[in-house]
Amino acid sequence: MDGNTFSRRTFLYSAACLGMLGTQSRIVRAELQLGSSARISTVSDGYLSLPPEMVFGSMPKEELEQLLNRNRVDATKYEPECNVALYRDGKNTVLFDVGAGPDFMPTSGKLLETVETIGLSPEDVSHVVFTHAHPDHIWGILDDFDDLLFPNATHHFGRKEWDYWWNPSTVDSIGEDRAAFAVGAKRRMAEIEDQVAFFDDGQEILPDIAARASFGHTPGHMAFEIRSGSESVMIVGDALGNPHVAFERPDWHSGTDQDPQTAAATRSLLLDQISREQMKIIGFHLPNGGIGRVEKTGSAYKFIGEPT
């Protein structure tokens, strides 16, 4: 890291600390111990503010209204948290996704503030593992000066997801409303091209961390199983994107999924495994830090958040 990068990073850190005064309770959202040496925390990248119809538009209106009322959800707004999972085992410091960075949405892109306020330097991150390449998950690899935020990290990408966003035809086929996603993803992927390690479904990408195909939200979306002895947790990214509809009616199609039919099948498979094996779950957009467990009730499921 050269002197110019250091001084720019120092400036960003100082500004971040000033911005985070009085907000420490929101920095680390939740934490769990896995085995004797590994810790998983979720740190906040802020939240998104989206039109509810973007998610719910294709769902049956009356049933949806009843479900949201039952869960005391305000249907006039949609503001999901953005929870970045941080895994530390004494040797590796791993981030699962990197948030939105400064160029996506003013309510998100807070990851630099959170990691440095808890005493973690971006240079300390040894690995970044991506679930997928939507803006709120990958655009944060660049800081305000377009420098790599985690310069010493190996960046792990599912081969299918990389190939999709790297393909020059994607920007023309993804749809006008998402064309900027494709342009933004490829620009950032070009910056990490020399620091990428590819993986496939079922592969152990790091000790105790294995990739699990969870296609649908994007063509190559990945979840990750982390196991230590009899304990396990599933990092689901956006495969389970909210704590109510996605769990009670995983078969309903969400407008945020690029392949809604495949995404619905993925949700059902993940929920069945997580509940059956009594795994913990970490969801990027699930509430109160995103860590919890899943209970099956008849043909539906329920997200039970961990106390924070």
Side-chain angles (χ1 to χ4, degrees), residues 232-243:
S232 59
V233 61
M234 182 83 78
I235 294 177
V236 299
D238 282 8
L240 293 163
N242 59 65

Side-chain angles (χ1 to χ4, degrees), residues 84-276:
V84 174
L86 169 63
Y87 172 90
R88 290 174 282 189
D89 62 7
K91 179 180 180 182
N92 296 309
T93 298
V94 185
L95 286 174
F96 291 86
D97 296 326
V98 292
D103 298 327
F104 183 54
M105 193 174 288
T107 57
S108 62
K110 313 302 182 185
L111 185 62
L112 176 63
E113 301 172 12
T114 59
V115 297
E116 293 199 307
T117 306
I118 64 173
L120 181 67
S121 166
E123 287 75 22
D124 294 335
V125 175
S126 58
H127 300 271
V128 171
V129 181
F130 292 102
T131 61
H132 64 298
H134 275 168
D136 51 327
H137 296 257
I138 187 176
W139 283 20
I141 63 170
L142 299 181
D143 64 20
D144 288 323
F145 300 98
D146 280 347
D147 293 320
L148 279 181
L149 186 54
F150 304 104
N152 299 329
T154 299
H155 293 71
H156 299 262
F157 234 107
R159 194 180 309 272
K160 183 173 182 178
E161 183 77 353
W162 179 278
D163 289 347
Y164 173 76
W165 295 99
W166 194 254
N167 189 331
S169 68
T170 295
V171 69
D172 298 316
S173 62
I174 196 173
E176 185 178 352
D177 58 335
R178 288 178 171 156
F181 290 12
V183 173
K186 189 163 185 181
R187 180 167 82 86
R188 289 158 178 83
M189 290 160 68
E191 294 295 325
I192 60 170
E193 185 179 7
D194 295 332
Q195 295 173 240
V196 167
F198 295 112
F199 60 84
D200 298 298
D201 179 32
Q203 184 176 335
E204 187 177 64
I205 58 175
L206 289 167
D208 299 327
I209 302 175
R212 161 73 188 276
S214 50
F215 306 153
H217 182 68
T218 62
H221 188 285
M222 284 285 185
F224 301 94
E225 296 183 20
I226 304 177
R227 297 183 180 271
S228 180
S230 61
E231 298 177 292
S232 59
V233 61
M234 182 83 78
I235 294 177
V236 299
D238 282 8
L240 293 163
N242 59 65
H244 32 73
V245 176
F247 287 76
E248 289 192 37
R249 292 304 306 260
D251 57 315
W252 285 357
H253 290 184
S254 170
T256 60
D257 294 329
Q258 291 183 222
D259 181 347
Q261 185 171 348
T262 299
T266 289
R267 280 191 291 275
S268 294
L269 289 171
L270 283 175
L271 287 166
D272 179 67
Q273 179 187 351
I274 293 165
S275 61
R276 176 169 32 86

